[in-house]
Amino acid sequence: MNDIVIRNACGVFTGLKGAQARRTGDIRIHDGRIATIGDVPEQPGDTVLDARGGVVMPGLVSTHHHLFQTMLKGIPSAIDAPLEKWLRLVPNTYWRFLDEEALQTAAQVGMAELLLSGCTTVADHHYLFPDSYHYDPAAILFETAEQLGMRLVLARGGTTRTRKFDTDQIVPAPTETLDVMLKRIGDLVSRYHDPAPDSRRRIAIAPNTPTWGVTPDELRELARAGRSMGIGLHTHLSETDNYVRYCLDVYGMRPVQFVAEHEWVGPDVWFAHLVHLDDSEIALLAQTETGMAHCPQSNGRLGSGIAPAVALDRAGGRVSLAVDGAASNEACDMGAEMHMAWMVHRAAHGADAVTCEDVVRWSTAEGARILSLPDIGVLAEGMVADLAVHDLSHPRHAGLADPMLGPVASGAACVRHVLSAGRPVVVDGAIPGLDMQELMERSRRVVSRLAREAAAYV
Ligand code: ZN
């Protein structure tokens, strides 16, 4: 493979902190890794990417997603619903109508949108593995990631207990016994899991919730099984104040204390949301290096609150950024997510609560650290060349005294080029080999079918 040289960018965000957050110069990529940042003399055979007027940053890392939800955006009955009602009306109503075409289309649309917002790594929390599906969801997700050139951590969800809803017409989410769940996760690990520091395929163990999805003993067993397989541990935690109340009522302690009692803290654990934390929980998360997948858009959309991401970051904890499922976001654009993260903490805590550099660090280096992918997430010599050239040619970016601020401060990112391990996966704003018009038409067909099938039951 020829070397790729990125020339003429306004600057480079490294993903690092403080004085190391920005660098200038051109970038040489050799054999999928960054060889030089700075003065890059021309060499015969170089492939040059023109980044004039653009900003280079590491490929963004979204640490919590539900790709299957990409065909379930904007369901009218749930557009103004809080979490529990939304769960009932959206994922729990629709899951059994998701056929192979629907999941594949959802994964393609979701990953295409992530790539076009500069995101190259996604952790997908997929929790639908019922016997009634005549296809293998994991195979579809990994094949789609491979085709589009994304790194995928499949956080394999599941539950041994489920909530019954107030109408028989809503079929509870599929359950498995713990033994079956562990066997199936073990099979996925042997088929897909690559522990390498620049892995493209990982498995994590990810019960839907630790509090009502499994029993406390099963929760501890899952942690031990995950650690014996050498895989990460992920789940939802403390998304709403109901969640905290339930945990206090049933287990007599707050959620972070509850998971800590059951061996679910540590650098191999990350939780989605963590909106409602008290000071002792923030300190415990920071001390144990347990990660947060901060989802400010989904939390805003569902009215769940604002997670104390800044407090956790200041306490030395690990904060990453994530879009969550598109059914509670109505998009999966990591650029928009960065903008929201930058805005929402300033609205709540003042204009100096969080900087653009903090948001870039959460979305890149911290995300990679939480997913235990130490060779990505930072732009420096020797690191894997997962990166995006953010374009600043839109009128929204004109007039910026410091153009580097554009991709975060001016709103949704537009990308010109994206590389994954030095391979172009977005070229001039388009995904090579993807027929976007066909994909959009297929999406409309899938959405109409899902609406028809759901209407016949609900
Ligand atoms: Zn979620």
Side-chain angles (χ1 to χ4, degrees), residues 142 152-155 192-204 371-374:
F142 277 116
L152 173 65
V153 176
L154 175 61
Y192 295 109
H193 184 73
D194 173 7
D198 61 343
S199 171
R200 303 193 73 83
R201 293 176 162 202
R202 288 270 180 87
I203 301 292
L371 299 182
S372 301
L373 289 166

Side-chain angles (χ1 to χ4, degrees), residues 64 66 236 273 324:
H64 180 75
H66 307 285
H236 296 102
H273 306 302
D324 200 5

Side-chain angles (χ1 to χ4, degrees), residues 64-66 69 86 125 127 208 234 236 239 272-273 295 298 324-325 328:
H64 180 75
H65 205 320
H66 307 285
Q69 293 180 9
W86 172 90
H125 189 186
Y127 51 81
N208 300 7
H234 177 58
H236 296 102
E239 183 169 354
H273 306 302
C295 307
S298 172
D324 200 5
S328 61

Side-chain angles (χ1 to χ4, degrees), residues 85-134:
K85 187 175 173 195
W86 172 90
L87 280 170
R88 179 162 69 77
L89 292 170
V90 186
N92 285 294
T93 294
Y94 283 83
W95 70 265
R96 63 202 166 121
F97 307 122
L98 293 172
D99 63 6
E100 187 169 0
E101 184 189 40
L103 179 60
Q104 192 179 49
T105 307
Q108 284 177 340
V109 171
M111 288 191 206
E113 189 183 359
L114 288 171
L115 282 175
L116 292 171
S117 66
C119 175
T120 50
T121 299
V122 59
D124 191 49
H125 189 186
H126 191 87
Y127 51 81
L128 301 171
F129 294 91
D131 294 330
S132 60
Y133 283 2
H134 303 296

